């Protein structure tokens, strides 16, 4: 990657990461906070999930010690 535009490299890496994330996680939509808690407290099968959470819901999960990350993922119809 030496000599390439740093922005182009960042785009390529982001694209690869997003591909991995979307291919290897289950979309639980707006049920994300509840499902993240169920997994964390071993009430549901451990697996990689993704979905939506408000800022307040995200903060509550973090306060509980539940590991979550906010990542910008474009809507599925907008992926190139």
């Amino acid at each position: 990657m030496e000599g390439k535009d740093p922005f182009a490299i960042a785009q390529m890496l982001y694209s690869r990461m997003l591909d991995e994330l979307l291919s290897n996680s289950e979309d639980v939509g707006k049920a994300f906070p509840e499902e993240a808690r169920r997994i964390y407290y071993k009430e549901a099968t451990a697996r990689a999930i993704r979905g939506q959470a408000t800022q307040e819901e995200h903060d509550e999960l973090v306060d509980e010690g539940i590991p979550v990350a906010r990542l910008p993922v474009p809507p599925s119809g907008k992926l190139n």
Side-chain angles (χ1 to χ4, degrees):
M1 288 191 227
E2 194 170 313
K4 290 193 177 194
D5 174 31
F7 185 73
I9 293 169
Q11 279 185 307
M12 181 186 67
L13 292 173
Y14 177 75
S15 178
R16 286 183 186 172
M17 185 231 21
L18 191 56
D19 239 16
E20 282 292 313
L21 174 73
L22 296 176
S23 297
N24 297 307
S25 63
E26 178 185 343
D27 186 1
V28 295
K30 292 183 179 184
F32 179 82
E34 295 83 22
E35 196 61 21
R37 282 187 181 93
R38 288 173 22 90
I39 292 169
Y40 184 75
Y41 293 112
K42 298 180 178 17
E43 298 168 356
T45 305
R47 65 200 188 284
I49 61 170
R50 66 183 189 282
Q52 295 90 42
T54 65
Q55 183 65 49
E56 182 181 340
E57 291 168 329
H58 173 267
D59 293 345
E60 289 170 357
L61 291 170
V62 169
D63 288 345
E64 286 180 54
I66 300 172
V68 295
R70 291 180 83 72
L71 299 172
V73 178
S76 59
K78 305 265 183 193
L79 297 174
N80 293 335

